[in-house]
Amino acid sequence: MGAMFPDGFLWGTATSAHQVEGGNVNSDFWVLEHTPGAIFQEPSGDACDHYHRYPQDIALFAELGFNTYRFSIEWARIEPEKGHFSLAALEHYRRVLGACHEHGLTPIVTFHHFTSPRWLALEGGWEERGAAERFARYCERAVQHLGDLIGAGCTINEPNVPLLIRHMGFLPPEAEAVFSDPPWRQGFKKSLGCIPEQFSAFIFGDALRARDTMLRAHRLAVEAIKSGPGDFPVGITLALSDMQAVEGGEARRDRAQAEVEEVFLEATHGDDFVGVQTYTRTRFGPDGTLPPEEGVELTQMGYEFWPEALEATIRYAAAKTGLPVLVTENGVATDDDTRRIEYVRRALQGVTRCLADGLDVRGYCYWSAFDNFEWMLGYRPTFGLIAVDRQTQARTVKSSARWLGAVARANSLEGMKG
Ligand code: BGC
């Protein structure tokens, strides 16, 4: 019985607007992708055209066996100019939510997943304190229109990621140059007519300043969302790495954990759940982060294949916050789908051990539904349960999708071969 999940456990996949919708032309990332000297491998373009294909996509998720779908609504579409809201964009997301209900999927809505409207980035993005109020106003407006259909709400996706990637050295070396004086920042000046320092888009900017604004924005957004229609749980989602210390690395590990994770976990006070998002582990020695351990398999992202990270981070997040946990992202970039099944199976075994110890884990969303736009790395890493031919937009369901869908239907790992 150890492999069973509680009744009502949420099983699904996750996406974000910019990574799958396509044509997010009014967002700050679109600008970055098209600036000369961009550190993006390729622009997001049409992505998976999910903006138009959501009805078939959502029907497919249900057919596979899932009972939830986590996706984000796009601020750059809903508030294309500061203070001007698009009813057409809100209506679009109402239809997406409606499709989820029609197919029996609980919609988990993320209000901000990395991208912002251009106008916000031009005002200094999250580095500018007033962004917190602007974000809360957008959430309030979105909830007025959509709240009655939302199943759970995530305010900001991974506000700790700008700090995490700096600590972990997760960016490729050429991307590190972005933080000093790279040519693309000059390109900005030309294309946007502002000095580069005025433009701040999520991961590119002063991470500490942005952290404070985002944490304040989160609190204001929870309040705004709670005051609207609907009665659903609200939380934040955090990028958590299984931070391990080896050979005298405890102090470095503890410092990183405090700065990159604890501050954010402490800010969940008053929330209904904490969204755990985990991909791998990070090892620390006395001088800082260590490279992957010899002999450990690597994913397409260059980090270790380490599904056990999920159990460790669920335990950590639950202990620090005392809140129910929702696994809002977990997955692996690989072109070998049998390794994806192995990764998810081991990650889920970790979830069952947490459940057996009485931890309140409410659901599991695999990242991602599709092979999609992996930010600076473009379309090369393939995290998806479903492959997408970007010429024809044809979807091909992978074995891992059928396998996880069957686990979802059975609400159990028992006897699930893959
Ligand atoms: C982000 C996703 C990203 C995924 C895989 C998470 O940090 O929320 O947008 O695609 O990791 O790298």
Side-chain angles (χ1 to χ4, degrees):
M1 289 306 282
M4 296 290 291
F5 293 82
D7 283 349
F9 195 80
L10 293 171
W11 291 100
T13 64
T15 62
S16 87
H18 191 77
Q19 292 175 274
V20 296
E21 284 182 346
N24 192 16
V25 300
N26 195 38
S27 67
D28 49 1
F29 271 71
W30 187 275
V31 179
L32 294 170
E33 292 160 23
H34 291 276
T35 298
I39 57 153
F40 286 77
Q41 295 292 322
E42 55 189 316
S44 51
D46 288 338
C48 305
D49 194 26
H50 185 59
Y51 195 82
H52 299 106
R53 292 166 196 262
Y54 74 88
Q56 302 93 293
D57 290 340
I58 288 172
L60 177 57
F61 302 156
E63 192 189 307
L64 286 168
F66 298 115
N67 63 15
T68 193
Y69 174 38
R70 172 176 179 244
F71 63 96
S72 72
I73 57 174
E74 181 55 56
W75 188 2
R77 293 188 197 273
I78 294 176
E79 191 178 356
E81 286 297 337
K82 188 176 178 183
H84 293 268
F85 292 86
S86 163
L87 278 177
L90 286 165
E91 272 300 296
H92 167 80
Y93 289 117
R94 237 191 120 70
R95 289 192 292 274
V96 176
L97 289 161
C100 289
H101 287 287
E102 188 191 324
H103 292 284
L105 302 176
T106 299
I108 303 176
V109 172
T110 306
F111 288 78
H112 185 277
H113 194 125
F114 293 0
T115 48
S116 300
R118 287 177 190 225
W119 60 260
L120 188 95
L122 281 164
E123 283 187 350
W126 292 109
E127 287 178 61
E128 171 59 40
R129 281 182 60 77
E133 279 74 17
R134 288 176 201 114
F135 177 65
R137 181 180 59 178
Y138 144 71
C139 289
E140 188 184 344
R141 196 57 188 255
V143 163
Q144 269 166 22
H145 208 89
L146 308 172
D148 58 321
L149 297 180
I150 295 177
C154 308
T155 56
I156 304 177
N157 182 71
E158 300 185 341
N160 63 329
V161 103
L163 283 166
L164 180 83
I165 55 180
R166 280 166 181 77
H167 257 282
M168 307 302 164
F170 272 173
L171 282 182
E174 66 275 15
E176 278 295 343
V178 156
F179 303 119
S180 47
D181 187 28
W184 68 263
R185 283 196 79 134
Q186 298 310 323
F188 260 102
K189 198 171 174 177
K190 285 205 191 89
S191 47
L192 285 167
C194 70
I195 56 164
E197 284 64 31
Q198 276 175 330
F199 188 98
S200 173
F202 200 62
I203 46 178
F204 311 103
D206 181 329
L208 277 177
R209 273 175 72 99
R211 174 196 69 190
D212 296 343
T213 314
M214 284 193 274
L215 288 180
R216 215 163 55 80
H218 168 61
R219 284 266 62 84
L220 293 176
V222 172
E223 231 173 85
I225 295 169
K226 294 268 182 196
S227 66
D231 182 18
F232 51 89
V234 184
I236 200 166
T237 71
L238 296 173
L240 301 176
S241 181
D242 176 4
M243 296 193 182
Q244 303 180 355
V246 287
E247 299 144 8
E250 288 77 9
R252 295 297 289 252
R253 191 268 317 270
D254 292 352
R255 211 185 93 202
Q257 216 158 27
E259 287 174 15
V260 177
E261 299 184 338
E262 269 172 37
V263 181
F264 294 87
L265 288 164
E266 279 158 14
T268 61
H269 188 70
D271 295 356
D272 301 315
F273 68 89
V274 57
V276 166
Q277 319 206 143
T278 305
Y279 291 88
T280 191
R281 69 170 176 172
T282 313
R283 297 179 319 132
F284 290 80
D287 301 322
T289 53
L290 297 172
E293 192 172 0
E294 209 161 313
V296 176
E297 178 180 347
L298 300 183
T299 76
Q300 287 173 331
M301 298 295 280
Y303 50 64
E304 290 176 332
F305 181 101
W306 201 263
E308 286 67 33
L310 185 58
E311 177 178 359
T313 52
I314 289 174
R315 290 185 188 277
Y316 175 66
K320 288 278 165 200
T321 63
L323 292 173
V325 168
L326 193 55
V327 179
T328 36
E329 284 183 27
N330 176 243
V332 63
T334 175
D335 57 10
D336 178 350
D337 202 44
T338 63
R339 298 309 292 153
R340 189 180 334 277
I341 294 176
E342 174 67 8
Y343 182 96
V344 179
R345 182 207 309 282
R346 276 162 54 184
L348 288 174
Q349 281 164 347
V351 174
T352 61
R353 286 189 289 271
C354 294
L355 289 164
D357 284 345
L359 270 68
D360 186 0
V361 187
R362 302 270 169 100
Y364 177 89
C365 294
Y366 178 81
W367 182 273
S368 179
F370 305 110
D371 291 339
N372 63 33
F373 182 66
E374 182 54 27
W375 307 110
M376 278 85 81
L377 300 177
Y379 290 94
R380 190 185 50 80
T382 47
F383 279 92
L385 296 177
I386 300 165
V388 177
D389 177 330
R390 297 196 50 260
Q391 293 306 313
T392 62
Q393 292 292 351
R395 273 64 170 145
T396 305
V397 171
K398 302 182 192 178
S399 305
S400 52
R402 304 234 180 261
W403 180 84
L404 187 57
V407 172
R409 252 188 245 283
N411 206 26
S412 171
L413 274 173
E414 211 97 59
M416 291 296 170
K417 303 215 165 50

